[in-house]
Amino acid sequence: MIKILTLLALLLPAPLAAQTIDQMLGRWAGEGIAVSNEEPGVRFSCRVGLSPEGSGTALFAGRCATTQGQQSFAYLVIERGDGSVSAQNRSQPPDSLPQRLSGSASAGLVRLQGGANQMFELSLVEGQLRFRIEGDSAGHPTRGEAFLNRRD
């Protein structure tokens, strides 16, 4: 009997306590700087939410804006026990952002990539959510970083 219980314990997945994405759940808002090409940095404001969809799974949705424009996004993010992360674009209507992202999670950090120059990165830093993005805007490399404060 003990051998059977031991075998079952080894075969069943361990509960995923304190996954990184679960620590980031909530609504966040803040500002930072966005840079496109060789132009000077501009104010970059973001509001994001991570809503639970199950352990290690969250709907990551938000909107970021500069004086030149704005971009909304919605991804279903799944963190696995091995530290891998995947995300599927859930924007309606469909948008120009990557349909699938993949990446990794480690203590306080989730990084998702959709291609050579497309990236979302979330990290917990002293009670704030550091939000970094990289991508292309009208064919020009663009990157931004904002420090977001919890809103709830």
Side-chain angles (χ1 to χ4, degrees):
M1 179 72 157
I2 292 175
K3 288 181 182 180
I4 293 172
L5 292 175
T6 303
L7 182 60
L8 283 175
L10 292 173
L11 294 176
L12 293 174
L16 300 174
Q19 285 190 295
T20 301
I21 201 76
D22 291 340
Q23 297 170 20
M24 297 176 177
L25 296 175
R27 294 182 320 138
W28 303 81
E31 295 182 348
I33 300 292
V35 178
S36 180
N37 232 3
E38 307 258 334
E39 298 175 16
V42 296
R43 193 181 88 150
F44 171 63
S45 62
C46 290
R47 291 181 181 267
V48 301
L50 287 107
S51 305
E53 297 282 322
S55 180
T57 304
L59 181 62
F60 169 49
R63 179 180 176 275
C64 294
T66 67
T67 54
Q68 285 84 25
Q70 62 89 29
Q71 177 70 56
S72 295
F73 53 88
Y75 282 93
L76 182 65
V77 179
I78 301 168
E79 180 180 356
R80 291 174 192 77
D82 65 357
S84 65
V85 182
S86 62
Q88 184 174 6
N89 191 331
R90 294 293 172 102
S91 295
Q92 291 298 325
D95 58 26
S96 62
L97 295 175
Q99 291 303 300
R100 295 191 185 276
L101 303 169
S102 61
S104 61
S106 58
L109 173 70
V110 174
R111 182 179 176 93
L112 291 160
Q113 293 182 279
N117 297 324
Q118 300 167 325
M119 182 269 298
F120 283 110
E121 185 178 273
L122 303 165
S123 58
L124 292 169
V125 179
E126 298 178 7
Q128 291 184 306
L129 187 65
R130 178 176 174 237
F131 180 53
R132 291 183 52 225
I133 60 167
E134 292 181 9
D136 288 322
S137 178
H140 301 290
T142 302
R143 63 188 181 283
E145 176 181 52
F147 285 87
L148 312 179
N149 295 302
R150 194 177 293 273
R151 303 291 288 200
D152 56 4

